[in-house]
Amino acid sequence: MQANDVRVLKSAALPTLGVGVVALLVAFLLAGGKGAIGAAVGALLVGVFFSISVVVVSYAARVSPQMMAMAAMGSYLVKVVVIMLMLATFGDTTAWNPKAFAWTVVVCTIVWTAFEVRAFMKTKMLYVDPDARVPGKSDS
């Protein structure tokens, strides 16, 4: 991973972790132990999925810009589908509170996305490669 990617990952993961802890405490106060478990599973799901996505896109970016775009779209699609399947599958579970799980997933996803966008906007990246050679142009 490049330094910019690590910065983006930390910039999104830390606020999401904080929101996950707050969600766990709120869920515990409102729904007891099962609410806390639901919030913990939801926050963990978002953290793991979104971290994997950043790593995959970072790796693909080293290969080519086209691979990066495909990896970003593919990982987004996989995240959305799997999170929807998790919400549908565990919507009526008794192992944890499904509402605490669902709300934590939604809130953590919004926080992660917002801070990831913020980190990318603050990252100083060149739009043009200064070392690129233009075909047909001499270096004189």
Side-chain angles (χ1 to χ4, degrees), residues 129-140:
D129 184 6
D131 298 326
R133 300 210 183 268
V134 178
K137 187 175 181 183
S138 64
D139 288 336
S140 33

Side-chain angles (χ1 to χ4, degrees), residues 22-106:
V22 170
L24 190 141
L25 293 173
V26 169
F28 179 73
L29 293 173
L30 295 177
K34 288 191 178 196
I37 293 171
V41 171
L44 183 66
L45 177 75
V46 170
V48 168
F49 273 34
F50 282 71
S51 295
I52 289 171
S53 177
V54 169
V55 171
V56 167
V57 171
S58 172
Y59 175 75
R62 286 188 282 156
V63 175
S64 75
Q66 293 83 7
M67 284 294 292
M68 183 181 79
M70 288 190 296
M73 289 185 286
S75 67
Y76 178 77
L77 179 65
V78 169
K79 281 189 289 195
V80 168
V81 168
V82 172
I83 288 175
M84 293 297 286
L85 286 173
M86 290 282 291
L87 290 172
T89 302
F90 295 108
D92 57 353
T93 186
T94 57
W96 61 70
N97 185 305
K99 285 185 179 180
F101 171 75
W103 278 108
T104 302
V105 166
V106 169

Side-chain angles (χ1 to χ4, degrees), residues 1 4-20 42-58 72 75-76 79 83 103-121:
M1 280 182 86
N4 286 339
D5 299 323
V6 173
R7 230 176 279 124
V8 167
L9 183 61
K10 284 175 31 181
S11 296
L14 293 177
T16 304
L17 175 66
V19 168
L44 183 66
L45 177 75
V46 170
V48 168
F49 273 34
F50 282 71
S51 295
I52 289 171
S53 177
V54 169
V55 171
V56 167
V57 171
S58 172
S75 67
Y76 178 77
K79 281 189 289 195
I83 288 175
W103 278 108
T104 302
V105 166
V106 169
V107 171
C108 285
T109 298
I110 290 169
V111 168
W112 183 288
T113 304
F115 278 91
E116 190 175 35
V117 167
R118 180 180 180 268
F120 274 119
M121 290 179 69

